[in-house]
Each structure stands twice: as structure tokens, then as C-alpha cells.
Amino acid sequence: MMNNNSSNGQSLWHSSSQSPKTPTTMLDRALSSRRPHSDADLSDSGESGTDESKTKRPHVYLLASNFVSRIGHQWLPCLIVALLFLVLLFLTSLAFHSSSFVCVSRFDPAARIGFFGFDGLESDFGALGRSKHGKEVEWTSKDLLKALEEFVPIYETRPIKNNMHGMGFDHSFGLWFMARWLKPELMIESGAFKGHSTWVMRQAMPDTPIISLTPRHPEKYLKKGPAYVDGNCTYFAGKDFVDFGSVDWKNVLKKHGVKDLNRVLVFFDDHQNELKRIKQALKAGFQHLIFEDNYDTGTGDHYSLRQICDQSYIKGGGHSCFKDGDEARIRSNRKKFWEKAVDTEELCGPGETWWGVRGEMRDDFNHSNTQISYNQHFQNSRYVESILDVYWELPPVAGPSLTHQSRYDPARSTPPVVADGRRRLFQRIGLGRLDKSVFNGYTQMVYLQISKPGNMLSTYLRCCLLLENLIVVIVVVGTMAERWTNTALLVIDMQNDFIEEGSVTQVKGGKAIVPNVIRVVELARQRGILVVWVVREHDPQGRDVEIFRRHHYRSEKVGPVVKGTLGSKLVDGLNMREEEDYKIVKTRFSAFFGTHLHSFLQTSGITKLVIAGVQTPNCIRQTVFDAVELDYPDVTVIVDATAAATPEIHTANILDMRNIGVKTPTLHEWSEEFA
């Protein structure tokens, strides 16, 4: 159990009667997924009614559904083993709390307030936090508000009044608050600059040792102006500097008498690739991390967690580089108000590379950059998802109309602790006394808790989940299997020559939907949906292609999607399972034209179709219209798992299909049907 210091640094909420179950360890204090905070339920006196931001237990049906989706095709042997020990397992399960094991974006558009005339689309642009266990942080918006009032007078005593190029008020408060709440036995910081962050941690934990890794010792700055050097801090600085990833942490921690790495808090403000830092921290055994600069996509000097989480299959993730599209229009409008906002031209690099910063994985203050493919970016996200137990972004302390900040875009952050319009509250807690310049340094500071994928804790939690939901799963699995056995997923033309650059038949919007199509196939297999791969495998001389395409086969070069060529293969990330899936080879737009698809579906008992792939005005549309004419009663086109040459063409054809009764959900909406 963490030691609660009895010094002046002890926070009010730990000693008050308002926290009936005070967390006692760092793990207890911070089991979370990212969620927005708001002071809407708080009066100017700081009082509120029932606090709904605590962890809520999901419905047991959802738990069972999520459980099955996580263990996929391996559920049967697990279930058989569990049944053998039913009584023992059920009794044991009563002692434990379950987890959903679903990586989701917890975001409530209703919590947002439009600002400077934004339209509704901005609410989908940024709530990207995901976690492995789907739990909430223990602290609430009320805790943050109380702590703000306590921190303001502390901040006013800071030795470095003008911390230009360093942390402003928002992140200073966040670091102080989380260090106070978690109460670590040791604090480590990578990157100290003039020592302001060291001073903040010292105010939070007066007696806790600090290890500071920074290329230049803060005492060097004392010659030119204010700086802070801590007497109870071990500095690896100047000539003694060692990078975080090169420290012999086993020996260092042994010298400090630290045996439990769960009681160590690591703070990064070193502008290094955060994926690199996470891997280094995980290797050393650290679990609790704070990153000061969690830059948004298209901004910053290093690859951040926020950039990694920005994926097309997550609500709020993924971006369009179409210059005349809705996102381009919204970004252009926001750039008029916020210095850090980026328009589509700044966001997108060559080849519509919007991920990271224009397709780059930046590192070391933008001095070392690597161009990465979308597939690499996607795999980075999957890796982080596998080790991420907690993701919580610090909200801005107050809305922009109160702080007068003009840098960060409020549509790209969580709702502030003190909402716009609550000027009395802003003044009462002392924020009005601060110079407005201290509020301009917000870059979505993030707190993480990580653990190795597949470790004993993860396995143990999975077992607990199995125990708690065992009986429900037995009933639900049969119901869910029956629900999806009459459904087939048609994946159309997701082949290299239709997706990759350089091909004469490339669909420009195809590359961006690859991760979503991968996810659609994964979900289909988890639910027992038949996956049908609809592909083209043409004659080398082009004798079986449409007339308007035959000229591509008359030169010495190999024509598009010729059978046996690399261009006819499925794109990376998509694989056909020969024993489970089915393949249909077509030579025209519709998957039904000149093929035996309809008879195959009929003999397989299929009445419902789900469609993904390219491209919307041709093969998708023709297949859908033929399916409707063949009286398939339920046809679904997943709008962000299909694509065309331009968003406008895609949208127009989606509307046409919707008008004839075809369902057109997003991937997120379709996946929610499983719950």
C-alpha cells in the first residue's frame, strides 16, 4: 500500500469524508480508460449531486459479448475446460471484478459545446483514448476542481515565473495532481529544462526521492536567470547524462531501495518518440507513465500517443485529405481562431499521408524522422492497444473564453474542468489572478498505465472474466451464433492493383480504408459470419475484361489483376482462410454477374449481406443493386470500409443505395450491433 504522507502536501480529498473508499495503491488509484471531465454538475461552491463519473459496471450481456469477441475462435476449448470446473470457478468468480477487454473510444458528443460557430462534425475529430480493461480513473471532475483551488496559490510561488518553452499552468497542475493522487515511492523525470517540473513534483510529494535525466543540468541556467535545483534529487545531467533507455534501472532502483516498480511514477518531457519510450519503460518494468506533450496528429516534434491512437477504425480517428471535403472546410475555419490548428494542406503529405506528421514518425525534437506506411502506423496502434491498461488525457483547466488562450483547438481536446461561461467559478478558485500567457501551453498531457501483453495479470483477469460470465456466455453464445449464421460478408476487390499506388486501376480512396476492412473481417470471423472474397483474376491477354479496359493488356507490361501476379493478391493485412472462407472470381462490376455467387449463398442459407471494399460507384453499387433485385432482405454497406476515387463520388453513391433500403452504418456503428 502507498504511504500517505502526513506533510502539508497531503491533498484535501484523501482526508475528507467525501471519498468513502480511498484508493491505496497506484493501481487502485488509476484504473481507467480515457473519458472527458466537465464541471457542469458543480455549483460555484464546489458542491454537486450524485457523481456519475465513477466506474460503471456494464450490462452482463455486453460483458459476455465483449468476452467472446476478445477470445475469438478459441472460446470453445476454454468453455469446455471451464464447464469441467463449473462450481469451483463460479464460486471463485464472486470475489473478482470483471473487465470488458474492449478497446473503445469513450466519447460523448453531447458533452461538447459548439464554439465560434463550429458545426456538428468537429465532435468526431479527437476522442481517441483506448484502454485494455475499460475501467475508469478514480479521480473525478469534482476532485480536479477542488485540487485546482488548492494548486493556484502553490503555483504562484513558483521560482520560474516565465517558463517560456516549458510547462504552463495546465500541465503543471496535471503533473502535481497525479503525483499527489498516486503517491509514488520514487519519481523519475526525463527532461527537466530549468527544473520547473522537478519543483512541481516536489510540491506534490515533499519527501519522495526524484531521479532527473536531462542533458543540461538545471544549475547551468541559474547563471542567466531563475531555475530550480532540488536537494533530494539524483541528477543524471551534463557530463553524467544518460538517456532513459540506457540507464541500468535495476541497479539504480536497488540503490534507492525500490523493490515494487508499481510504486514508481515516470514523467517524460523529453520530446522523444513516445512509442520508443513506452517500449523502454515496459522493458524496465515501469507501469505508470505521464507524457507532457501528447501532440495531436499533424503537429509536434515527436510521435505521440495521440497520433498512434488516431486510427480510422476508432470513432474520431482517421482523416480525409480531400481538399474540398467537409473536414477540409472545418479545419480551414478552425485555423482562423487557433494557432495550433492545421488545415488539410498542412495535415497531409505526399500520397495523402496524414498519420503522424505528414506520414512521418518524428523523434528527438524533430531531428530524427522516419517515413512510415499506414500499415506500420496501424500495427503501432495494435501494439499499444495490447499493452495499454490506462489512457487518460488531462482536460484544459478552463475554457478559452476564460483563459483567452488562442493556441490549442478546443474541438480537439476533452471538455475543460471549468467550462466556458463560468466566470464566477474561474475567479473564485483564483485562476483569474494568473497571467493569461500561462494557459497557452496545453498539449493534451496524458497519463498511462501499461503492462506486458499476455502477462500473468492479463491472463488472470481473463480467467476472472470467464468465471463471472460463464453461465451467461453459455446462453448468449448460442443466441449470437444463430443470429449471424445466415449472414455473409462480401469483401470486394481489395487487391494490390486496386489499392496500391502506381497501378493504372488504383482507387485513390482505397488505401485509407484498409485498416477498417481488416477490422470488419476480424469482427465477422469472431461472430461466425461467412467471409466471401470477391476478386478479379484476369486472363493475361485481357480477353475476359470489360472493353474499356482491354487496352491495358495490349502492351508488353503485365495488365492489372492478372491471375497469379502480385497485383492480383490481397493487400497486406488481409488473408483468406481456405478452410473457412470462400472465393468468387468475377470479370465484371457485379459479384453476381456471370458467377455462381447467388446459388452458393442460397445453398448456404444466407439471407443477409454485409459489403466492404472498392469501389463504391462500380463494383460495390452494382453488387448491391443486384442483391436487392435478387430479393436479399437485408443488405448492409459499411460506409467507412468502402471507398471511391473521391469522397463526393462515394457519398453520392451511398445516398443512392440508402434510398433503396440498404443499410449504411459506419464500422463503429456496425460493430456496436454485436453488443
Side-chain angles (χ1 to χ4, degrees), residues 72-91:
H73 64 280
Q74 298 178 349
W75 72 271
L76 185 58
C78 293
L79 190 58
I80 293 174
V81 173
L83 285 171
L84 296 177
F85 300 97
L86 176 61
V87 177
L88 176 63
L89 298 181
F90 180 72
L91 292 176

Side-chain angles (χ1 to χ4, degrees), residues 624-625 637 639 651-665:
V624 166
F625 273 74
V637 175
V639 294
T651 301
N653 283 274
I654 290 294
L655 289 175
D656 285 345
M657 289 183 277
R658 187 181 299 164
N659 288 336
I660 63 169
V662 174
K663 298 177 183 177
T664 56

Side-chain angles (χ1 to χ4, degrees), residues 22 49 82 105 195 205 211 228 258 297 299 317 349 381 517 543 552 556 570 575 590 612:
T22 304
S105 170
M205 300 296 291
I211 296 176
Y228 177 78
V258 176
T297 297
T299 67
S381 174
V517 177
R543 291 171 293 187
H552 293 308
E556 295 181 358
L570 296 174
N575 297 286
S590 174

